[in-house]
Structure formats: C-alpha cells, structure tokens
Amino acid sequence: MATALQARLPELGERMALRIRSDVAAYQDESLISLDSLRRSCTANAGLILAHVRLGGGPDASSARETGRVRAEQGVPLADTLHAYRIGSELLWTEILAEARTRPEVTDDLLVSQSTKFWALSGLFAEAVAVAYRETAAELTSRGQARRSALVEALFTGIVTDRTLWETARELGLPEQGPYAVAVAEAGTPGEEPLAGAEAALRRAELPSAWRLLPDQQLALIALPTATAETACLRVLRGARARVGFSPSFRSLRETPQALRFARLALAGLEGTGHGVARFDDNPLAMVVSAAPAEAAHLVAVVLRPVLDLPAAERSRLLRTLEHWFAAAGSAGAAARSLFVHPNTVRYRLRRVEELTGRSLSDPRATADIGAALLAVRHPGAGAAAGG
C-alpha cells in the first residue's frame, strides 16, 4: 500500500496543499506561503512517512524539521503549522485506508496495528516540526533583539545618518517625526532593569518606545504623539519607583544624543536618594549648572565664598534661608512661615548675605548670580569643588 501511494505522491501533495490552504487561515496568504512551496512541503513530508512505513528503520524527520524552520522564518504561528501538519497526516491515513479496502488480504487487525505505528510516527514528526520551529523562532528573536539594540544605540550615540533615520524609526516601531523624549533610569546593580514593566505599560498607553540597557542605567526613547502623552508617560515612569531623569521633548531623532545628555543631567540633579522623576524643564537653570561643574564651582567661589567660609552653623542658616526665600518667590513672610521663624529674622539673614557677598538681592542680576551659585552649592559635584 505504501508503494502504491508513493507512486501517487504528486497528486497527494497537491490535495494536501489545497486542503490546508482551505482550512488554515495563515496558509491562505500567497505572499507568505506560495501554493507551490506548500505543495513541495506536503509531498516531502508524506514521502518520508510512506518510506518509513515501507522500508522501516530509523525515522528520518529531516523534512519535518525543515517545515518547522521555514514556517518560523515565514512568521506562521506554531499552532497553525501543527494544525496544517495534522490535516496532512489525516488525509494521508484516509488514503491508506482507501487503498486497504481494495486489498482483501489486509485484515482489520493489521490495519489497527499499522494505525498505531502510523500515528506514533506522525506524532514524532509533528514534535520535530515544533522543536525546529521553536529553535528557529528563538534564534530569530535573539537576532532581532541584537539588531534592535544596535539601532537604539546608534540613535543615542548619533551615528545614524539623516538618510536612514526614517528606516530606523520604522524598524523600531517609532513615528518618523516627534515629539519624542528620553528617559534615563539609575540601575542599582549591573544588568538591573530599574524600569522593568514600563515598556509594556507605555505600549498599553499607545506610546511607542525603544530601550537600551547599560551596566548602570536604562535608557528609553519614547514617542509622545498626543498633547496628553507626556503626562501619561510620566505617570508610567513614576509608577516604576525608580530614579529617573526626563529630557525636554524634541522633534527629530537626530536630536536624541542631546536629549540623552539633558535626561542624564536631570537624573544627576534629582534630590535625595529615593525614587522620583526629575524633568529637565522643571529647573533648567539647575540643569545648566549641573552641565558645567567646573564653571559652577568657580561661580560659587566668586559669589558665595564669604558665606561658605563662615562657621558651619551660621553658614547653614544663611543657605537654608536663601533656599526658602527663592522658593517663596522672594517673599520674606512666606519664607519665614516655612522656616518657622519671624519675618524680621529672614530679613536680617538676607541683609547678612548682602553684606558678605557685596550683592543686593533687590538687583535682578545680583539675585540671579546668587540663585545660580546656590544651586551649584547644592549640586554635589559643584559643592565639593567649591569646598562648600
């Protein structure tokens, strides 16, 4: 019977291909799987099963493995691939039964015995399909992740040319035009993902993103396609409970390296040691001070050196008073309430700062100098450099 059916393999392969194409949706796209390719695959797999039935010996699952590999490369779902394989096996067994009815010497006991062997062999080949499919899919995923990581790195380092920006955006699933923003999160240990789960949360909020994991930081390039997108994005980042710096928005992917620098400056300026999100735009002057630690240290020395040279207790009182006064938009009364002192105490301390620095807090330029120097003092790098 196997010999007779092998002589009809081209016809059997054709019928299997047509049945599979009719019954399995994934196989109906000619651009994905051509009918000729499907026909060849069906013929080869049926031929291997019939050859084993006819000749015995160890089963040759090479065609089944090839089927699994090719379908994974084509992107056909594994469930549909195995469904198609079952359809082909069922049709082949139906043909064996039809051939048996033409041969009186084939007993029911023999058919039952061969049925067990046939379906065991079919199951073995289906397993070979699945194993090859999963191996190929894993390899493709790894290869795709490596390429995606390389493209994201190219954006962050600025080595993508204008000509290939749109191609990179398309491959990363990003819109070709902004606005975008960059987020940088601090990793506690090498390889840690401080924003684990944020990518999926952004996807649910319809905010495409591309990610890069470094030993000490996790970087994200995030598209902000709507007016409310930044608010939604910040909500996701704050929910991650990590230390995050967030850049100003920008329009072109060629600006990504500069945005990364801004996000890192925002992260460096994040106060305290707990989690939180620092936006560069929330305090751009502080970010500028952070960007130039040597110049900031010189500014401190020129503007606030007499204050920093005071004994620790008085120095601390004057600096805290300045901070509260600036936070209160120059209101001595509001600063006094937040410091729990009398407004006259605040005014006295401010006059003391003016005397020591030789700068009047009623002069906008002098006030700007003192405010910038105060930010530099509170920035760890600049403060240390200034001896404060």
Side-chain angles (χ1 to χ4, degrees), residues 91-258:
L91 191 148
L92 181 58
W93 180 246
T94 299
E95 291 299 315
I96 290 175
L97 291 178
E99 183 68 23
R101 293 191 192 99
T102 68
R103 299 172 182 271
E105 70 274 18
V106 178
T107 65
D108 289 345
D109 289 343
L110 178 58
L111 276 177
V112 170
S113 171
Q114 292 302 313
S115 171
T116 301
K117 293 179 181 179
F118 176 89
W119 288 111
L121 185 64
S122 178
L124 180 67
F125 282 10
E127 183 179 354
V129 169
V131 169
Y133 183 103
R134 293 189 181 101
E135 289 175 349
T136 303
E139 180 183 346
L140 292 173
T141 298
S142 177
R143 195 184 307 162
Q145 289 174 341
R147 175 167 173 76
R148 185 178 177 85
S149 179
L151 289 174
V152 175
E153 177 71 7
L155 285 175
F156 280 127
T157 56
I159 63 174
V160 177
T161 65
D162 288 350
R163 185 177 58 84
T164 57
L165 275 176
W166 69 272
E167 295 174 351
T168 301
R170 182 180 60 185
E171 194 158 344
L172 293 175
L174 297 171
E176 296 176 19
Q177 292 294 326
Y180 314 95
V182 169
V184 176
E186 183 181 282
T189 57
E192 174 192 353
E193 290 190 51
L195 295 176
E199 183 175 7
L202 290 172
R203 190 182 306 115
R204 288 193 294 271
E206 299 183 353
L207 301 177
S209 58
W211 296 73
R212 183 82 170 93
L213 184 62
L214 303 177
D216 59 340
Q217 292 178 335
Q218 188 173 19
L219 318 180
L221 171 60
I222 306 164
L224 305 173
T226 66
T228 60
E230 183 170 322
T231 300
C233 177
L234 291 171
R235 187 183 306 118
V236 169
L237 295 176
R238 291 189 179 108
R241 301 180 68 81
R243 292 179 63 80
V244 184
F246 194 76
S247 78
S249 62
F250 55 100
R251 302 297 305 182
S252 171
L253 287 174
R254 71 172 64 89
E255 301 172 58
T256 304
Q258 181 65 52

Side-chain angles (χ1 to χ4, degrees), residues 11-156:
E11 175 217 340
L12 286 174
E14 176 78 16
R15 288 170 56 200
M16 287 178 184
L18 292 174
R19 175 75 64 81
I20 290 169
R21 172 152 290 194
S22 171
D23 293 355
V24 186
Y27 284 75
Q28 293 170 5
D29 186 350
E30 177 71 21
S31 65
L32 186 64
I33 306 172
S34 70
L35 182 59
D36 185 57
S37 170
L38 181 56
R39 185 188 302 113
R40 288 197 304 270
S41 176
C42 290
T43 301
N45 281 298
L48 283 176
I49 292 178
L50 290 173
H52 182 72
V53 169
R54 185 167 61 89
L55 303 174
D60 179 5
S62 58
S63 182
R65 288 193 294 270
E66 178 67 8
T67 296
R69 183 190 66 79
V70 171
R71 297 297 175 257
E73 290 178 344
Q74 293 169 330
V76 179
L78 178 57
D80 286 350
T81 301
L82 294 176
H83 185 195
Y85 205 86
R86 284 194 296 272
I87 289 173
S89 297
E90 289 166 2
L91 191 148
L92 181 58
W93 180 246
T94 299
E95 291 299 315
I96 290 175
L97 291 178
E99 183 68 23
R101 293 191 192 99
T102 68
R103 299 172 182 271
E105 70 274 18
V106 178
T107 65
D108 289 345
D109 289 343
L110 178 58
L111 276 177
V112 170
S113 171
Q114 292 302 313
S115 171
T116 301
K117 293 179 181 179
F118 176 89
W119 288 111
L121 185 64
S122 178
L124 180 67
F125 282 10
E127 183 179 354
V129 169
V131 169
Y133 183 103
R134 293 189 181 101
E135 289 175 349
T136 303
E139 180 183 346
L140 292 173
T141 298
S142 177
R143 195 184 307 162
Q145 289 174 341
R147 175 167 173 76
R148 185 178 177 85
S149 179
L151 289 174
V152 175
E153 177 71 7
L155 285 175
F156 280 127

Side-chain angles (χ1 to χ4, degrees), residues 296-343:
H298 181 70
L299 175 66
V300 170
V302 169
V303 176
L304 287 180
R305 174 58 63 192
V307 176
L308 297 178
D309 286 341
L310 293 171
E314 185 178 4
R315 179 181 67 213
S316 177
R317 282 195 300 271
L318 294 183
L319 292 178
R320 283 188 69 242
T321 300
L322 278 174
E323 286 180 333
H324 283 257
W325 183 75
F326 275 106
S331 168
R337 286 191 294 273
S338 64
L339 286 166
F340 302 102
V341 298
H342 194 277

